[in-house]
Amino acid sequence: MNLLVIGGGGREHAIIKALKKSPKCETIWCLPGNGGIARDAECYPVKATDLDGIVQFAKSHPVDFAVVTPDDPLVLGCVDLLEACGIPCFGPDKRAAIIEGSKVFSKELMMKYGIPTAAARQFDDPMSAIEYLKTCDYPTVVKADGLALGKGAVVANSFEEAEKAVREMMVERVFGASGARVLIEEFLTGPEVSVLTFTDGKTIVPMVSSMDHKRALDGDEGPNTGGMGTVAPNPYYTERVAAQCMREIFLPTVAAMRQEGRTFKGCLYFGLMLTERGPKVIEYNCRFGDPETQVVLPLLESDLLEIMLAVHSGSLTADMVRFSSASACCVVLASRGYPKRYETGFEIALPEEPQGEIYIAGARKEGDALYTAGGRVLGAVATAPTLRQAIDGAYALAESIRFENAYLRHDIGARALGATK
Ligand code: AMP
Ligand code: GLY
């Protein structure tokens, strides 16, 4: 089969490497891909948000199946357009992708169907939001309704911080139209777990759980990033918790979307917080997480393409999805300064025989050489029988990669290791 993958980060590199293991896989085209992905797929410079360009490409190539991964093309309706041209896709249509595209939608869905989440109020004018903030307990959480590159949630420790967040989102529109509405949400505490699932709209099959490290600096300090590293499985996510999530969150969500006439097919991502009063949904994503995918897919023992085809055709079964019992760790090497200002254009020296997987996120190719071209440059991933070994392996691999201005966190997995003791 000839496959088309939309996207160009470390997540897409991991997906492409997993798809390539399938005996059914022939050509993979990737739009836009990146300099590292170009070693594993044919990349063309069509942006993931350029839906016309994507459709043009798909019509002029013999694409058998498309995998749409990033949030923005999904929310914009990329799957609807490709399927209208007769190209089957993995990924939700526009009506279903709203589960990530609008936090107001997903909050109302959870309220209506009794799915546990933080209590919240929604506002579409800044003055009433600010009046309400005067009555809140702190910390409190302010969230922009729409997509905001993972930066749309602000945990405010005081009225002043919350008011500033509301003004930035609703008045200055730092996230554009995404800030036209905001949610003001109860602050929850507890360990966070990411659970990626496959669902064909009826059956839902969770992948191995994982833990992201969103903050830029060691000790969970500094600004939120796209994710500085991950481990899988997440030791806080015990079998008992998993069963409770299936009963109270996963199955009800899939049923709710179907009931709303928004059947979700693809990878549904649950961002959960394990509070003292049980697991609650922090966010839904309509896609694979980045860098969660980089630790989850290396542990997948079954054929990813077969699973994706079954999701598309509505024939997914739990026994199609098998994971190894090993652990994995991904350490992100970023450009120093990320997520704020940073310099790029430095040559990346990769080891001849890497001990693990290197998924390239932000690099361009010139001849045979790779140069940094983004905030998150790559993920160094190791799998091993124990979490400790996986963490050590990922750091050893990261050490063997060199480029100027490289930055990494030193404590990926430390909290997870603490939980296993
Ligand atoms: P989100 O963009 O919704 O994934 O939120 C980003 C991060 O903000 C989450 O990973 C949490 O760490 C934090 N967060 C979001 N909502 C809440 C909440 N209600 N209580 C506490 N922390 C939250
Ligand atoms: N790592 C979090 C996300 O992909 O949204």
Side-chain angles (χ1 to χ4, degrees):
M1 293 181 83
N2 297 321
L3 309 179
L4 174 64
V5 175
I6 308 300
R11 164 184 60 196
E12 285 74 13
H13 200 185
I15 289 172
I16 285 168
K17 285 214 184 182
L19 288 171
K20 280 180 77 175
K21 291 191 203 154
S22 172
K24 278 199 176 142
C25 172
E26 290 168 273
T27 306
I28 305 185
W29 294 290
C30 184
L31 308 180
N34 65 47
I37 293 177
R39 296 176 175 187
D40 292 290
E42 289 179 34
C43 299
Y44 292 87
V46 178
K47 283 204 189 114
T49 47
D50 175 7
L51 300 195
D52 290 339
I54 292 170
V55 168
Q56 280 309 319
F57 183 95
K59 279 185 175 165
S60 54
H61 291 76
V63 176
D64 296 307
F65 190 66
V67 179
V68 184
T69 350
D71 49 4
D72 19 38
L74 289 167
V75 170
L76 291 169
C78 189
V79 165
D80 310 56
L81 293 177
L82 289 173
E83 295 209 326
C85 314
I87 297 169
C89 294
F90 178 86
D93 64 11
K94 187 174 180 175
R95 284 181 60 73
I98 193 176
I99 198 165
E100 173 168 6
S102 169
K103 290 191 193 287
V104 170
F105 169 85
S106 61
K107 189 62 73 175
E108 284 177 344
L109 185 85
M110 290 185 273
M111 295 298 184
K112 179 170 170 187
Y113 291 90
I115 297 165
T117 184
R121 298 262 310 256
Q122 54 166 295
F123 296 92
D124 55 17
D125 87 284
M127 288 334 286
S128 13
I130 290 167
E131 275 311 304
Y132 175 70
L133 286 175
K134 292 179 182 161
T135 67
C136 288
D137 293 328
Y138 288 89
T140 198
V141 186
V142 182
K143 291 186 178 180
D145 176 40
L147 297 181
L149 296 168
K151 295 172 187 120
V154 174
V155 176
N157 289 308
S158 62
F159 169 75
E160 289 70 27
E161 282 178 34
E163 186 195 21
K164 180 166 170 273
V166 165
R167 284 192 192 282
E168 285 176 355
M169 289 176 195
M170 302 191 84
V171 183
E172 294 161 31
R173 294 290 173 100
V174 293
F175 305 120
S178 290
R181 291 191 290 181
V182 299
L183 287 179
I184 297 177
E185 189 167 293
E186 166 199 16
F187 176 74
L188 301 175
T189 52
E192 284 186 58
V193 185
S194 305
V195 183
L196 282 56
T197 67
F198 292 110
T199 177
D200 63 2
K202 306 181 297 277
T203 303
I204 183 163
V205 186
M207 299 179 224
V208 64
S209 62
S210 55
M211 185 191 286
D212 193 6
H213 297 69
K214 286 205 168 93
R215 301 295 204 92
L217 308 178
D218 287 2
D220 289 327
E221 303 279 345
N224 265 319
T225 70
M228 291 300 297
T230 35
V231 293
N234 183 324
Y236 290 101
Y237 192 71
T238 59
E239 266 177 46
R240 192 186 60 79
V241 175
Q244 188 179 5
C245 289
M246 181 54 96
R247 215 169 45 238
E248 296 177 4
I249 297 174
F250 303 162
L251 289 169
T253 299
V254 167
M257 289 297 278
R258 214 173 45 231
Q259 184 72 30
E260 294 293 309
R262 295 178 183 274
T263 300
F264 188 103
K265 287 182 169 199
C267 172
L268 183 52
Y269 166 129
F270 295 83
L272 305 171
M273 195 169 271
L274 308 182
T275 75
E276 277 177 1
R277 298 175 61 204
K280 296 193 180 192
V281 177
I282 291 281
E283 65 163 346
Y284 291 117
N285 291 330
C286 65
R287 52 169 176 89
F288 285 93
D290 187 343
E292 284 89 344
T293 306
Q294 290 90 314
V295 285
V296 168
L297 290 186
L299 299 175
L300 179 66
E301 288 177 335
S302 22
D303 182 324
L304 178 62
L305 181 54
E306 293 289 359
I307 297 171
M308 289 181 160
L309 292 169
V311 165
H312 172 78
S313 64
S315 55
L316 180 70
T317 55
D319 62 352
M320 300 179 73
V321 183
R322 288 182 318 278
F323 279 89
S324 102
S325 58
S327 293
C329 175
C330 170
V331 173
V332 169
L333 288 183
S335 301
R336 185 168 295 280
Y338 171 76
K340 303 213 165 106
R341 282 169 53 95
Y342 54 83
E343 282 180 62
T344 59
F346 302 108
E347 186 169 355
I348 306 171
L350 297 174
E352 292 271 317
E353 285 178 22
Q355 301 295 306
E357 288 284 357
I358 299 171
Y359 298 123
I360 305 289
R364 68 187 161 73
K365 206 165 143 230
E366 257 182 55
D368 279 343
L370 281 182
Y371 294 85
T372 64
R376 288 189 293 175
V377 174
L378 57 85
V381 177
T383 55
T386 68
L387 181 60
R388 171 85 263 169
Q389 292 164 326
I391 295 169
D392 291 346
Y395 274 103
L397 178 59
E399 288 277 314
S400 71
I401 301 165
R402 302 273 158 191
F403 58 88
E404 227 175 283
N405 256 16
Y407 170 77
L408 50 74
R409 267 183 68 162
H410 302 90
D411 61 347
I412 302 303
R415 186 158 184 217
L417 268 185
T420 59
K421 294 221 173 89

